[in-house]
Amino acid sequence: MNGASSTLIADNKQVELAVRPGTIGPSVVDISKLYAQTGMFTYDPGFTSTAACESQITYIDGDEGILLYRGYPIEQLAEHGDFLETCYLLLYGELPTAAQKADFDYRVTRHTMVHDQMNRFFQGFRRDAHPMAIMVASVGALSAFYHDSTDISDPHQRMVASMRMIAKIPTLAAMAYKYSIGQPFVYPQNHLDFTSNFLRMCFAVPAEEYKVNPVLSRALDRIFILHADHEQNASTSTVRLAGSSGANPFACIAAGVACLWGPAHGGANEAALKMLEEIGTPDRIPLYVNKAKDKNDAFRLMGFGHRVYKNYDPRARIMQKTTHEVLNELGIKDDPLLDVAIELEQFALKDEYFLEKKLYPNIDFYSGITLKAMGFPTSMFTVLFALARTVGWIAQWKEMIEDPSQKIGRPRQLYTGATRRDYLTIAQRA
Ligand code: SDX
């Protein structure tokens, strides 16, 4: 492979394939003409070696444990910025000036209410419905309430739909929580910042004043920053593929919510906390680590491992620091779950299996402990992940829609099924 191209010899055919470098990270071999030139497909289930698109939003170096949003290290954004600043950066590519930030905050704040008939939409759910089921349904239902921002060919409507989702999905998330505990919905308050507003919509009750704890609000805002985007992960790829057909933005984000729910992806924060609760005490850690290593046991250490990170997930480090901050603020001195988590991490990271397979804690390992301490039930953990990831999904969807070379995504396959055969009547069948 030389700088500009690579030579492939397949089926006695020799083809030259262009090699395209990125600004940082791996180059790509452009195989878009491979089928036309060779009559063959590439084969890469799970897309372990496949770049599905070109993007300028997020860069991950899995070996070095680096995560950049539009070139800015996640550590610096989490330390110095707030979530809406990160939203602006992901959507528009630059950090906002003071005036741009004020305008963006103002516009998001004034889109936080949902159409009041959404309340009746919620009444159709059982009270014990999983909040993620409610989120899949209600995010998709936004396209039934906001017809005036579903035309993806209109940049203004795309912008309005984007602002509506960033602003309204926290309101829907809070409504899903309130509905599940039988408490009345709490309307947003425009004088509160994004995350304080969300905390109040979740935990305020009509019977008394609710005072936002600034330490918890800052911690949750930082958690949202950590979850905002992550390159071409499964749910983002789902949003891009749904969007490539021209589906409206609300439907595409609903598809992302559905994909995120899986325990191998965003559902891992809920699964990780349940795993820590099942382990219960540090003396049971070896049993579970051995189960995770046993090829015949489907059990995996939830919150461990990552398709890209073969080093410590930089978000997990910040998450761990935030966990201690929140527990200190709440006066929780010895959280048994945190003790198990810290012991489990130390045990696993000394174990040959985890070292050899480069399995480290990921963002989902510590987030559950923090969110539980803040008062969220386990069933809300992935909802919070979806709330934060909405801006990443939208930024990636916007980038795809605005890409002039964009076309509908339509992968092919390696067919190993039956060859052609004629129909048999039922009498002819054995
Ligand atoms: C997220 O893609 C993203 O960026 C996702 C995300 C984002 O921000 O969008 O970062 C969010 O989804 C984080 C990941 C949360 N999921 C979990 O914590 C679930 C537990 N982790 C695993 O299911 C797994 O590590 C994945 C799904 C995260 C990654 O799976 P891969 O890349 O397909 O890796 P693999 O399954 O091929 O595993 C490689 C090897 C296998 O062993 P061998 O078959 O090679 O012998 O490592 C083993 C796996 O069995 N392995 C684990 C393990 N994770 C992988 N063994 C025990 N415990 C684990 N957690």
Side-chain angles (χ1 to χ4, degrees), residues 82 84 101-102 104-112 167 170-171 186-204 209-214 217 221:
D82 67 25
L84 285 189
K101 177 74 168 56
F104 188 75
D105 287 6
Y106 179 89
R107 287 190 290 137
V108 171
T109 302
R110 275 147 191 83
H111 275 290
T112 47
T171 306
V186 175
Y187 285 89
Q189 291 287 312
N190 288 351
H191 69 279
L192 293 174
D193 65 67
F194 179 89
T195 302
S196 300
N197 212 356
F198 175 67
L199 282 170
R200 184 179 171 281
M201 289 191 284
C202 288
F203 297 120
E209 273 311 298
Y210 176 77
K211 195 169 170 338
V212 178
N213 178 323
S217 181
D221 195 78

Side-chain angles (χ1 to χ4, degrees), residues 48 60 226-227 229-236 260 262-269 272 292-293 295 299-310 313 315 353-354 357 359 362-365 385 389:
T48 51
I60 304 170
L226 298 180
H227 286 80
D229 192 52
H230 212 238
E231 202 218 67
Q232 304 311 317
N233 59 83
S235 53
T236 297
L260 185 76
H265 190 15
N269 53 18
K293 290 157 60 173
K295 280 283 143 253
F299 174 78
R300 288 195 164 179
L301 281 190
M302 301 316 280
F304 254 80
H306 198 277
R307 170 63 57 78
V308 177
Y309 290 123
K310 300 309 171 193
D313 181 337
R315 303 168 298 174
Y353 174 93
F354 288 85
K357 293 184 186 300
L359 303 173
N362 59 50
I363 190 166
D364 295 307
F365 190 62
F385 193 150
R389 185 53 58 87

